[in-house]
């Protein structure tokens, strides 16, 4: 009986192709995640924020973390495309990323207005952090959220901008202006200054609201 090498070769190529496709698909799912699961989680995350805040939210982008085995979504409210926030489906169980961003942005805007351009020469960096105290993960009322959570305002700048002996005076001036500008109820508000002068690390906390 004559061996049909052509059929054997085609069969071998078919098996090899199937193996390559299998491992290729496995690698893709490991690195990019299941596309059907991505669509499902995307819909769930969007619905959570839309039902909580009673408005439309859009997904700007999504990615998959193969280390954590979950999808990250960057969203924004349809009425404010510039306000983006990042979250995961699992994170919505214990953190409201949009509510946190709203609160932080609100406090940041008040401080920016209070300081004006008087400290621009410092070329300072300011961050606002929320430390959630409330047991309610989602609180759509901004002022209620502010009144039940703690916030830390962190300032840092390069010491070369001013004499190191003037750091205390500058920081006290900043704190005083913030104190005068804050007129809403907060659980706690702390202002932090951190400056490194090349040898020593200057660090100071001042609690304004407690």
């Amino acid at each position: 009986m004559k061996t049909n090498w052509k059929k054997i070769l085609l069969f071998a190529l078919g098996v090899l192709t199937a193996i390559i496709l299998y491992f290729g698909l496995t690698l893709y799912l490991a690195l990019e995640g299941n596309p059907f699961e991505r669509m499902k989680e995307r819909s769930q995350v969007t619905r959570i924020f839309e039902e909580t805040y009673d408005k439309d939210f859009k997904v700007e982008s999504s990615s998959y973390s193969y280390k954590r085995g979950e999808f990250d979504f960057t969203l924004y409210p349809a009425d404010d495309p510039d306000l983006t926030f990042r979250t995961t489906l699992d994170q919505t169980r214990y953190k409201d990323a949009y509510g946190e961003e709203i609160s932080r942005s609100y406090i940041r805007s008040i401080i920016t207005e209070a300081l004006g351009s008087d400290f621009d020469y410092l070329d300072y960096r300011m961050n606002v952090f929320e430390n959630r105290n409330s047991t309610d993960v989602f609180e759509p009322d901004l002022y209620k959220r502010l009144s039940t959570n703690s916030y830390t305002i962190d300032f840092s700048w390069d010491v070369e901008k001013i004499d190191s002996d003037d750091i205390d005076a500058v920081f006290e001036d900043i704190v005083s202006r913030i104190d005068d500008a804050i007129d809403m109820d907060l659980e706690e508000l702390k202002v932090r200054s951190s400056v490194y002068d090349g040898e020593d690390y200057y660090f100071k906390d001042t609690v304004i609201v407690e």
Side-chain angles (χ1 to χ4, degrees):
M1 182 177 177
K2 186 178 180 179
T3 303
N4 192 330
W5 292 106
K6 184 176 181 180
K7 287 186 177 180
I8 294 176
L9 180 60
L10 289 175
F11 176 77
L13 287 174
V15 172
L16 180 61
T17 300
I19 293 174
I20 292 174
L21 289 173
Y22 171 77
F23 282 104
L25 179 60
T26 301
L27 180 61
Y28 173 83
L29 293 177
L31 296 177
E32 298 294 331
N34 188 315
F36 298 104
E37 189 65 26
R38 182 193 297 261
M39 292 174 61
K40 179 182 177 182
E41 290 193 15
R42 174 189 177 120
S43 177
Q44 290 177 304
V45 168
T46 303
R47 185 173 67 252
I48 288 172
F49 288 100
E50 289 183 337
E51 291 179 351
T52 300
Y53 290 95
D54 193 26
K55 59 181 177 180
D56 294 333
F57 283 81
K58 306 293 183 181
V59 176
E60 181 178 85
S61 63
S62 63
S63 60
Y64 182 72
S65 172
Y66 68 90
K67 291 183 178 181
R68 302 196 313 271
E70 63 179 350
F71 294 99
D72 293 283
F73 299 95
T74 299
L75 299 89
Y76 62 87
D79 59 359
D80 189 1
D82 293 330
L83 201 162
T84 60
F85 62 97
R86 196 170 182 82
T87 190
T88 68
L89 179 60
D90 180 63
Q91 189 185 72
T92 59
R93 296 186 302 103
Y94 57 87
K95 179 180 178 180
D96 175 6
Y98 175 66
E100 178 178 313
E101 184 59 32
I102 287 291
S103 300
R104 293 169 60 235
S105 296
Y106 182 72
I107 293 177
R108 189 184 297 111
S109 66
I110 291 177
I111 296 172
T112 299
E113 182 177 353
L115 300 183
S117 60
D118 294 346
F119 300 93
D120 286 356
Y121 68 95
L122 294 174
D123 193 23
Y124 66 84
R125 296 169 294 280
M126 176 180 67
N127 289 301
V128 180
F129 301 98
E130 180 182 80
N131 305 305
R132 191 172 64 83
N133 301 325
S134 174
T135 56
D136 296 327
V137 175
F138 288 91
E139 176 49 67
D141 187 303
L142 171 61
Y143 295 104
K144 185 174 180 181
R145 184 182 184 90
L146 291 170
S147 67
T148 56
N149 291 298
S150 302
Y151 297 87
T152 298
I153 306 166
D154 182 81
F155 283 92
S156 62
W157 62 82
D158 294 329
V159 73
E160 291 83 2
K161 301 295 181 178
I162 59 173
D163 191 292
S164 57
D165 293 335
D166 296 330
I167 293 178
D168 276 325
V170 171
F171 182 61
E172 288 172 5
D173 191 6
I174 290 175
V175 169
S176 176
R177 297 196 190 197
I178 294 175
D179 193 11
D180 291 340
I182 297 296
D183 60 355
M184 80 289 288
D185 291 330
L186 299 170
E187 179 71 18
E188 182 183 79
L189 179 64
K190 180 191 303 180
V191 183
R192 172 176 299 157
S193 175
S194 53
V195 181
Y196 181 65
D197 66 4
E199 295 182 359
D200 299 316
Y201 192 73
Y202 177 92
F203 182 88
K204 185 174 183 180
D205 275 350
T206 300
V207 176
I208 293 180
V209 179
E210 61 180 343

